Amino acid sequence: MQSTMQDVPLLASRILNHGATVHGAARVTTWAGEEEPRRRSFAEVGARAAQLAHALRYELGVRESDVVGTLMWNNCEHLEAYLAIPSMGAVLHTLNLRLPPEQLVWIANHAADPVILVDGSLLPML
């Protein structure tokens, strides 16, 4: 009897690969207050996520099950981090930029993330 259960694990890397190959021409659009929205194809997002994963692993030494924090706006770069970090087997820890500074400091210190990806405009907050 055919089952509806999938026979492979549902991994972020599989979602990333599927999106970049099957839906590579689909556009990802973000707008963060600039004059024009930024547009990238899903294939470009996938390639940039792979570059980020490579840099995290080989430039910063992030290993499987390490925790990587993010303090970023809702934009393409954050989407790339959302895809890259779990795809390489690391744990994604998003820091909520809407929290009061004292709570954000407590969470960041408590988590002791070895790497935190930060949008340049949010550096003063960190």
Side-chain angles (χ1 to χ4, degrees), residues 4-5 23 40 52 57 59 61 63-64 77 80 87-88 90 95 98 105 114:
T4 57
M5 294 296 291
H23 304 287
R40 292 190 182 130
L52 176 58
R57 174 137 1 245
E59 301 295 324
R63 296 178 313 245
E64 194 170 314
E77 291 79 14
E80 292 157 5
S87 290
M88 62 183 290
L95 296 166
R98 289 174 179 80
V105 166

Side-chain angles (χ1 to χ4, degrees), residues 4 11-12 15 20-21 24 26 28 35 42 50 53 68 71-72 78 90-91 94-95 105 113 119 121 124:
T4 57
L11 303 173
I15 295 170
T21 55
V28 175
E35 281 189 33
F42 204 88
V68 177
L71 183 63
M72 303 173 82
H78 208 181
V91 178
T94 56
L95 296 166
V105 166
D113 301 334
D119 187 285
S121 68

